[in-house]
Amino acid sequence: MNGGCALAPVSRLASAVRTLAVASAIALGAAVGQQVGAGADTTLGVPLIGQQDIRWNFYPMGSSGDTVGSSGCAISSVAMMLNYYGRTTDPGLVNLWLTHNGGYAFGDKILWSTIDSYSNGQVIFTGWLGADINLIVSEIDAGRPVIAEVRLMGNQHFVILTGYDVNGFIINDPWFDDTVYFVARYGDPSTAIVSIRTYTPQIPLGRGGGRVSWIVNSGAAPHRSE
């Protein structure tokens, strides 16, 4: 289990203060994160979703006092992954289901394997591992994006690895709501990635298709315990 940015929880009464903090964080990200061009052809086409979108920003997560906007990086990364595989959803819907179906532990820590049930078995959790760069490359080559745990401002954070090229891994970052090179924001992935989460689609869902078709390779991913 685990998941969530662990950034300071924000109440509706403190929304003005939070808006200033978010603006500062986004400005910092723009300064240090090298943007990936819209024409880049090395990504898997994972749709970008920001956790601080006003449509779900203030939704409470589980039984904690945190919100999707402050701590929903893991579920936002999951939502991006599911949309890539053709399951239309968003962080608000994922959070609602997890909250009412035992998908959180310790308040708002996602139980990663519950996404199997949320997707009706269409996407299966296959691994929680360390920073295995070779595995990340092989997953992306098979058309499967990888969720990675990193540190943001000293806190636990999750991003989704969507591709790579000569400049390194490419990520969608739910906190900054942008697509950047991993190294430009978080540094060397071999040391900056704390752990990874992998999922495998079980049936064709209308999306995917990386360097090698995920439909062909969906059955090839080894199952790894949570």
Side-chain angles (χ1 to χ4, degrees):
M1 73 192 81
N2 83 10
C5 304
L7 299 173
V10 181
S11 69
R12 292 178 183 273
L13 295 177
S15 61
V17 175
R18 181 188 175 286
T19 299
L20 291 174
V22 170
S24 297
I26 291 175
L28 174 62
V32 302
Q34 179 183 354
Q35 292 282 343
V36 177
D41 59 3
T42 55
T43 68
L44 299 179
V46 177
L48 177 63
I49 298 176
Q51 68 191 77
Q52 298 162 47
D53 189 297
I54 191 62
R55 289 172 291 178
W56 46 76
N57 188 355
F58 292 109
Y59 285 6
M61 294 178 60
S63 60
S64 75
D66 294 333
T67 65
V68 174
S70 67
S71 299
C73 52
I75 62 172
S76 296
S77 296
V78 166
M80 285 188 265
M81 178 267 298
L82 290 173
N83 274 277
Y84 167 73
Y85 287 133
R87 175 66 182 259
T88 302
T89 189
D90 60 52
L93 293 174
V94 174
N95 173 63
L96 183 65
W97 189 93
L98 293 174
T99 297
H100 294 287
N101 290 275
Y104 288 123
F106 304 108
D108 62 358
K109 307 304 181 185
I110 184 173
L111 296 171
W112 298 93
S113 61
T114 59
I115 299 303
D116 299 11
S117 296
Y118 176 70
S119 68
N120 296 317
Q122 295 174 327
V123 180
I124 300 297
F125 176 70
T126 52
W128 177 343
L129 303 99
D132 188 331
I133 301 302
N134 289 331
L135 177 61
I136 293 171
V137 170
S138 66
E139 288 290 299
I140 292 173
D141 282 347
R144 297 187 290 264
V146 175
I147 296 172
E149 177 189 359
V150 296
R151 291 293 178 264
L152 174 61
M153 294 178 276
N155 297 294
Q156 182 187 53
H157 182 52
F158 288 90
V159 299
I160 186 164
L161 297 155
T162 65
Y164 65 87
D165 61 19
V166 294
N167 295 307
F169 288 120
I170 299 165
I171 62 171
N172 283 359
D173 194 326
W175 176 256
F176 295 102
D177 193 12
D178 63 4
T179 300
V180 299
Y181 286 105
F182 184 96
V183 67
R185 178 163 293 156
Y186 297 105
D188 183 352
S190 66
T191 55
I193 294 177
V194 178
S195 62
I196 62 173
R197 311 292 185 272
T198 57
Y199 287 87
T200 299
Q202 299 302 294
I203 61 174
L205 297 177
R207 290 294 295 273
R211 292 178 176 80
V212 181
S213 171
W214 66 265
I215 297 175
V216 172
N217 288 274
S218 63
H223 183 80
R224 310 174 187 94
S225 61
E226 182 175 2

